[in-house]
Amino acid sequence: MGSGTIRNRARRLIATLALALAAIFSGPAAAWGEFGHRTTADIALANVTPGTRASIARLIAYERRLGTPDCKLRSLQDAAVWPDCVRREGWRWGFTAAWHYRTAPICEPYNARSNCSGGNCVTGQIERNHRILADESLPPNVRLEALAFLVHFIGDVHMPLHSGDKDDRGGNDRVTSYGIVPGLNLHSIWDSPLAERAITSARPSLVRKYSTAERAELGGGDAAEWGRESWQLARDFVYPGAFDQDVCAGDLPMAAALSQEDIVAAIPVSQRRITQAGLRMAAMLDEAFASGPLAIRERRE
């Protein structure tokens, strides 16, 4: 076999791989995709109290009352992806689409109150569903639905492009190459391939019990603050990294490329946001279940 034939086959293999990856990651974006959202739930479960884990299990026992047989909710990991699953049934759940983001222009002063009429944005829904989850007077299936929305939206708000925007639907309209893989968009890259590489390359694993000092450093704040953090990352890191220019000096091209160096630089940013989402999720879950009988017993002991 000649060297020319080998090179041609190698080029065809790369092209085939690129097309396959493009097909995988070019669908409707959902922050961090399934793997990323499930990882935030894994981090949370590793850091909540035993009482909180027991309370979650009790609520999950009411899954059938949700009436979503095509979207299972049998674990906290399932809960973290359930809102993306149910919204495919647009006639029933389409009204929740706006709850997954609250994008704000990266080249204008940040306003935590804009683009959230009636609480129909990710930060408003984090607050709403946390309150529903904590209310033990409500039916268990209502609280279970709130649990799923809460853990999913905590993941969403930590993804920079669910908060920062350059008139492109959070990067969805910017055709962007991911290394050798063409034809993706900036949003989908941060959702899936970049997040997956960040998770699988982390040493130590992102899923573990964190120390008190680590939780103090990475946790804290509220939904509005987490949205501001993501917006600032979009403005100061995500868009500049993709376009290598002053992103607020004028219009940006509709196509961009992330080099291998850009990807490597982005990995620790993605790792930190995924970890923060998991730890902050753990804190909100512990707070929501703090008045339950198991939590009271734990405090007494």
Side-chain angles (χ1 to χ4, degrees):
M1 184 183 299
S3 59
T5 302
I6 294 173
R7 284 195 297 270
N8 288 336
R9 288 187 175 180
R11 281 195 290 268
R12 285 197 296 271
L13 179 60
I14 291 172
T16 300
L17 175 62
L19 289 172
L21 290 173
I24 291 170
F25 298 126
S26 61
W32 292 330
E34 183 168 337
F35 186 41
H37 274 297
R38 287 182 179 274
T39 300
T40 64
D42 286 335
I43 294 169
L45 275 179
N47 289 276
V48 295
T49 67
T52 292
R53 284 195 291 273
S55 296
I56 291 169
R58 285 202 304 274
L59 284 184
I60 288 173
Y62 292 88
E63 181 212 14
R64 288 189 179 182
R65 294 191 186 179
L66 294 176
T68 58
D70 294 330
C71 299
K72 304 300 182 184
L73 207 169
R74 296 173 178 172
S75 66
L76 192 66
Q77 294 88 342
D78 286 349
V81 298
W82 183 85
D84 275 341
C85 181
V86 296
R87 70 173 177 164
R88 297 170 192 159
E89 202 171 60
W91 68 271
R92 181 180 176 191
W93 298 97
F95 69 95
T96 68
W99 294 359
H100 293 251
Y101 61 91
R102 197 194 74 78
T103 49
I106 58 173
C107 297
E108 297 177 12
Y110 185 80
N111 183 346
R113 297 180 180 275
S114 67
N115 197 22
C116 194
S117 177
N120 287 302
C121 73
V122 67
T123 52
Q125 290 301 314
I126 288 172
E127 295 172 356
R128 171 180 172 270
N129 284 286
H130 184 248
R131 183 171 180 177
I132 292 172
L133 179 61
D135 189 344
E136 294 188 344
S137 70
L138 295 173
N141 59 298
V142 172
R143 296 177 67 213
L144 176 58
E145 182 180 300
L147 170 69
F149 280 126
L150 177 66
V151 297
H152 181 84
F153 294 150
I154 291 173
D156 278 351
V157 79
H158 281 82
M159 202 283 244
L161 292 172
H162 275 241
S163 291
D165 177 78
K166 179 68 173 171
D167 195 27
D168 56 9
R169 298 188 305 125
N172 275 294
D173 297 332
R174 306 281 179 184
V175 178
T176 307
S177 297
Y178 180 72
I180 67 168
V181 183
L184 308 184
N185 66 66
L186 188 59
H187 193 115
S188 68
I189 287 171
W190 275 82
D191 276 346
S192 296
L194 180 57
E196 289 172 12
R197 183 168 171 180
I199 294 165
T200 58
S201 66
R203 299 293 183 274
S205 172
L206 298 185
V207 180
R208 59 186 172 86
K209 178 73 172 178
Y210 285 78
S211 69
T212 302
E214 288 173 317
R215 294 178 69 156
E217 177 197 353
L218 296 166
D222 58 20
E225 293 175 56
W226 306 338
R228 180 189 291 272
E229 290 170 354
S230 286
W231 171 85
Q232 188 164 350
L233 279 171
R235 182 195 66 185
D236 296 343
F237 185 84
V238 177
Y239 281 95
F243 294 96
D244 297 316
Q245 66 182 72
D246 182 349
V247 296
C248 294
D251 293 335
L252 294 175
M254 296 308 295
L258 291 181
S259 67
Q260 190 59 224
E261 291 75 14
D262 295 328
I263 295 167
V264 170
I267 286 173
V269 176
S270 182
Q271 288 172 339
R272 182 178 179 88
R273 292 308 278 169
I274 291 168
T275 304
Q276 286 178 312
L279 292 178
R280 289 163 168 173
M281 186 188 301
M284 289 202 84
L285 292 175
D286 280 343
E287 182 180 337
F289 292 115
S291 61
L294 286 175
I296 294 172
R297 187 184 311 161
E298 286 176 358
R299 288 198 295 271
R300 287 173 177 170
E301 293 174 352

